[in-house]
Amino acid sequence: MADDTKSVADDAAGTAQIEAAIEALRAEDHLRLDRAGQGLSQRSGRAAFGWGAEDLYQEAVMRTYDGRRRWCPGRVDFVRHLTETMRSIASEWRAKGRRGPVSLEPRGEDQPSRDPLDPTDAETPSAEERLLQHQECAAQIARLRDEFSGDAPVEYILMGLEDGLGRAEIVAAAGMTVKEYDAARNRLTRAASRWKPRGGGS
Amino acid sequence: MSRRRSPEEQVEALQHEVVEVVLAADAAALEAMAREEGRDPRAVAEGVRQRLEATTREFHARRRQALKAQHAQVVARLGERHRALPATPTERRALLGRAVGRSRVAAEAVTVQHREFKELTDEDVTSLLGRLADLGALPPEGDDDDGAR
């Protein structure tokens, strides 16, 4: 039986354990991280905007190492930990209106460098950035609606996303099977991964 | 009753689904997805592996740099402390006397461990001065006033 009195800090992996977990990742796990990154990235054709898959998984690993995100091996699988962390980072960057690349790679002179370890390295989005973000999200949803017009299962999922419904509710409301739902969700998420904001596409 | 989500919230929810799909996908499906995009799955996986390796190296380099900076700070602080201490035992004892006269913290530090000031050995004096220096309880250099009223 799990000891609920133990804190997350007690269970969190140390540097050596994290390093071992990274070394133990299989090729399919690397593909999983890339795929998740592609789906969560927001990079346009112009490199000065947005972030790519590699920014997300590198940042997730860095935050795990430096303790900003704790990984508890007994509670969650390492790949799930990383992908959830990537999702959280993408959400955070989107909310902050962060538009510059954050990769650990060296940058050109025209691209100011950012320090992912610096907690002060965060911007409050301006009203203009928030508006732009809103428009980009609206455009993404509109484009998906367009692309899947006539594909009833995906249309139901999109409606469910808008109404805040979960899988069980969508399945029940649409009268489809779980298998049909999963297949439709796969089509939708693949298309979402292909979409890049601001008319880009790297 | 649920309310309509904003486009931002819908994208958030969609991204949650992206992660779930990726986690549920098997190796064959992941490879197929890469090929669909005209990418070689093996090259993609190798690229991710190399970047993660680079991130690990980067983390260790940053940590070494942070530890080095921390060490330099400690060394500098110790250097200042020793420079601040007078050269002879008599001068050090006098400095402690001035500190005790000026600072309640210093007075308590001495009386807690030693009943009488005069019972202190030279080593006790040096050790106490070091600890008082850490606490910032030593009189500034050049201040010979013993604080007695």
Side-chain angles (χ1 to χ4, degrees), chain B residues 41-58:
Chain B
R42 272 201 284 188
V44 172
E46 178 56 18
V48 174
R49 193 193 65 75
Q50 285 179 8
R51 280 178 181 275
L52 295 185
E53 211 174 72
T55 308
T56 295
R57 281 198 303 270
E58 173 77 15

Side-chain angles (χ1 to χ4, degrees), chain B residues 96-130:
Chain B
L96 184 61
R98 289 201 299 281
V100 167
R102 291 170 57 93
S103 159
R104 235 178 94 188
V105 174
E108 280 175 13
V110 172
T111 52
V112 161
Q113 292 192 345
H114 311 276
R115 283 186 196 158
E116 295 290 336
F117 188 82
K118 63 184 178 192
E119 289 175 5
L120 297 175
T121 64
D122 287 345
E123 287 72 28
D124 290 336
V125 170
T126 306
S127 164
L128 275 165
L129 285 174

Side-chain angles (χ1 to χ4, degrees), chain A residues 22 56-65 82, chain B residues 52 55-56:
Chain A
I22 289 172
L56 288 171
Y57 55 71
Q58 284 186 302
E59 177 72 357
V61 166
M62 190 58 92
R63 288 188 185 194
T64 304
Y65 268 132
L82 287 181
Chain B
L52 295 185
T55 308
T56 295

Side-chain angles (χ1 to χ4, degrees), chain B residues 77-78 81 128-138:
Chain B
R77 202 166 53 82
L78 284 174
R81 192 173 92 177
L128 275 165
L129 285 174
R131 282 164 50 205
L132 292 175
D134 282 343
L135 294 169
L138 285 185

Side-chain angles (χ1 to χ4, degrees), chain B:
Chain B
M1 189 173 152
S2 59
R3 64 168 179 85
R4 291 222 154 168
R5 283 171 167 166
S6 69
E8 291 90 328
E9 289 170 327
Q10 290 177 59
V11 169
E12 288 283 328
L14 189 58
Q15 297 207 325
H16 180 78
E17 297 299 326
V18 166
V19 167
E20 291 306 317
V21 166
V22 164
L23 288 172
D26 61 19
L30 291 161
E31 285 173 14
M33 282 187 241
R35 280 197 203 93
E36 258 178 40
E37 294 168 353
R39 302 193 299 161
D40 172 11
R42 272 201 284 188
V44 172
E46 178 56 18
V48 174
R49 193 193 65 75
Q50 285 179 8
R51 280 178 181 275
L52 295 185
E53 211 174 72
T55 308
T56 295
R57 281 198 303 270
E58 173 77 15
F59 167 73
H60 284 301
R62 282 166 189 246
R63 196 162 69 159
R64 271 197 305 274
Q65 207 174 6
L67 286 173
K68 226 167 141 180
Q70 203 178 20
H71 177 71
Q73 268 183 341
V74 170
V75 168
R77 202 166 53 82
L78 284 174
E80 277 168 23
R81 192 173 92 177
H82 286 299
R83 272 202 305 277
L85 295 186
T88 67
T90 310
E91 286 171 330
R92 286 199 288 272
R93 195 171 287 266
L95 175 62
L96 184 61
R98 289 201 299 281
V100 167
R102 291 170 57 93
S103 159
R104 235 178 94 188
V105 174
E108 280 175 13
V110 172
T111 52
V112 161
Q113 292 192 345
H114 311 276
R115 283 186 196 158
E116 295 290 336
F117 188 82
K118 63 184 178 192
E119 289 175 5
L120 297 175
T121 64
D122 287 345
E123 287 72 28
D124 290 336
V125 170
T126 306
S127 164
L128 275 165
L129 285 174
R131 282 164 50 205
L132 292 175
D134 282 343
L135 294 169
L138 285 185
E141 251 180 293
D143 182 354
D144 292 336
D145 181 1
D146 67 3
R149 306 227 185 325

